[in-house]
Amino acid sequence: MIDFRYHIVSLISVFLALAVGIILGAGPLKETIGDQLTGQVEQLRTEKEEIRAQLTDETTKRTELEEYVSAASKRVAFDTLKDRRIAVLQMGEVSDELYESVEKQLQYAGATVPARITIGDAWTDPEQADARQSYATSLAEYLPEDQRDLASDKLLASALISALSEKSDTSADELSADAGLAMDVLQGAQLVNLVKFDPIPVDAVVIIDNSNAGAETAAAEGAEAPDYGAASTLRLNIAEAAGRGTEGAVVASPRVVATDLISTIRGNSTALKIVATVSEVNEPVGALNTPLALSAAIGKKVGHFGFEPSATALVPAAVTLPEPDRTVVAPPEGTTDNANTTKKKD
């Protein structure tokens, strides 16, 4: 059993150790410890200043690079999409800053953007599958006959693209009556949100996909990346419908991660031939690549651009496009304006 004398001895040992430490710290080791601490502080201060200088230098270089790319874009992209009307579809949370950087590049290329539309969560929500099927049934009558038997989610995608691109039978500058009705249904179902919408038929589509932003959050937290597979399959329907139903389509994203939309497109032997993709759209180079990739896609040179192994090139091929087709196909005699006679790309 531990007695009182043991406690006394323990306390005396502790006080002796403290006394020895104080004597040594105030005596023989005082200057050595002080010099070491002072040296370490000075070294840390020097390293901090060097890092700060490097950061300032890198920030300056990045700003200069962005300014150069922005200035060069006006020449590089000039008239590559002359007189084209482009609809921009947003998937996930797309900031105004990101959208405006893409819009600016499209405008440098000579295009206009009459439509900016957000794809709603209902488009990919598994619990909304039955509702989507019901809306697809309602929308079938507004589509050409060869598209009315599509699976419900593919039919919804075709309806969206038709609602953006189908010309009136009397004017190439007006959407058809069916297009307007289809858009009303899609908007009423909260499948889409019209951020900006001028009812003019578009020639091509740009999809800004930021639905994979959760991958960065997961990586920062050391968690497993989300599986986007099921949602990407539904979003792919929109991209493919845009690729087939307009002159061309490109999907642009800040990043490329497994199972997201760009990865799904690049891994699909059919989609990769009709839908172009661009990564790092939040960076100056990616934003510039977006109109160039769309122009190349319209010119039948669909490619996939970025620094990933799945990309096919860094820069899209240069093409010269003909004037956009503004002809109107007259409906057969005895039919109405809703004849759905607009030509679609094979």
Side-chain angles (χ1 to χ4, degrees):
M1 181 175 178
I2 299 175
D3 58 16
F4 181 72
R5 285 177 298 176
Y6 178 84
H7 289 294
I8 292 296
V9 172
S10 297
L11 288 173
I12 292 172
S13 299
V14 170
F15 284 116
L16 283 174
L18 288 172
V20 171
I22 292 171
I23 292 170
L24 290 175
L29 298 181
K30 178 180 179 182
E31 293 184 2
T32 302
I33 295 174
D35 291 343
Q36 288 179 346
L37 291 176
T38 301
Q40 290 175 357
V41 170
E42 289 298 329
Q43 181 180 357
L44 290 174
R45 182 179 291 114
T46 300
E47 291 177 354
K48 178 183 176 182
E49 292 301 324
E50 290 176 351
I51 292 173
R52 179 179 294 165
Q54 291 174 3
L55 179 60
T56 301
D57 185 51
E58 292 299 324
T59 301
T60 300
K61 289 181 179 178
R62 178 180 175 83
T63 300
E64 292 172 346
L65 174 62
E66 290 177 350
E67 291 176 352
Y68 174 80
V69 172
S70 179
S73 297
K74 298 178 182 180
R75 292 191 177 186
V76 175
F78 181 73
D79 274 359
T80 53
L81 291 171
K82 183 179 180 181
D83 296 332
R84 255 67 186 186
R85 301 163 179 164
I86 312 299
V88 176
L89 307 183
Q90 301 177 169
M91 297 178 177
E93 295 293 330
V94 175
S95 66
D96 288 341
E97 180 182 7
L98 177 54
Y99 166 78
E100 288 166 3
S101 70
V102 174
E103 182 186 46
K104 180 172 66 175
Q105 296 297 336
L106 293 171
Q107 291 171 342
Y108 287 161
T112 57
V113 183
R116 177 189 179 188
I117 296 176
T118 298
I119 305 302
D121 293 338
W123 202 288
T124 56
D125 186 352
E127 296 183 1
Q128 297 292 320
D130 290 340
R132 290 197 298 271
Q133 186 171 7
S134 177
Y135 288 121
T137 301
S138 301
L139 287 164
E141 63 181 293
Y142 304 127
L143 291 175
E145 290 186 10
D146 61 350
Q147 297 180 35
R148 294 178 184 177
D149 293 329
L150 293 172
S152 59
D153 289 313
K154 290 183 179 293
L155 192 148
L156 286 176
S158 292
L160 172 59
I161 300 306
S162 290
L164 290 168
S165 62
E166 188 170 87
K167 293 179 284 190
S168 164
D169 294 324
T170 58
S171 173
D173 296 325
E174 296 178 2
L175 288 166
S176 71
D178 279 352
L181 293 171
M183 185 61 80
D184 288 342
V185 172
L186 292 167
Q187 188 178 15
Q190 297 184 334
L191 292 167
V192 300
N193 175 43
L194 308 185
V195 182
K196 177 178 75 172
F197 185 65
D198 189 0
I200 299 173
V202 302
D203 303 300
V205 174
V206 169
I207 297 173
I208 304 176
D209 178 32
N210 197 34
S211 60
N212 58 7
E216 286 187 349
T217 302
E221 297 175 351
E224 186 176 350
D227 184 353
Y228 300 105
S232 293
T233 298
L234 297 174
R235 296 185 178 107
L236 176 63
N237 293 328
I238 299 175
E240 287 188 312
R244 291 192 176 99
T246 68
E247 286 189 325
V250 59
V251 174
S253 177
R255 67 198 67 78
V256 179
V257 298
T259 73
D260 71 358
L261 180 54
I262 286 185
S263 291
T264 300
I265 291 170
R266 292 177 178 179
N268 185 297
S269 59
T270 300
L272 63 82
K273 296 176 182 177
I274 61 174
V275 181
T277 60
V278 172
S279 65
E280 298 188 33
V281 70
N282 56 322
E283 300 292 340
V285 173
L288 172 57
N289 266 350
T290 300
L292 300 181
L294 182 58
S295 176
I298 295 174
K300 312 300 184 185
K301 294 183 179 180
V302 175
H304 305 278
F305 309 99
F307 297 93
E308 309 78 29
S310 59
T312 56
L314 293 177
V315 181
V319 298
T320 301
L321 298 178
E323 294 291 323
D325 182 10
R326 298 283 183 252
T327 59
V328 174
V329 180
E333 186 176 352
T335 61
T336 66
D337 179 54
N338 300 338
N340 291 314
T341 55
T342 303
K343 293 182 178 179
K344 301 293 179 184
K345 186 172 69 176
D346 295 330

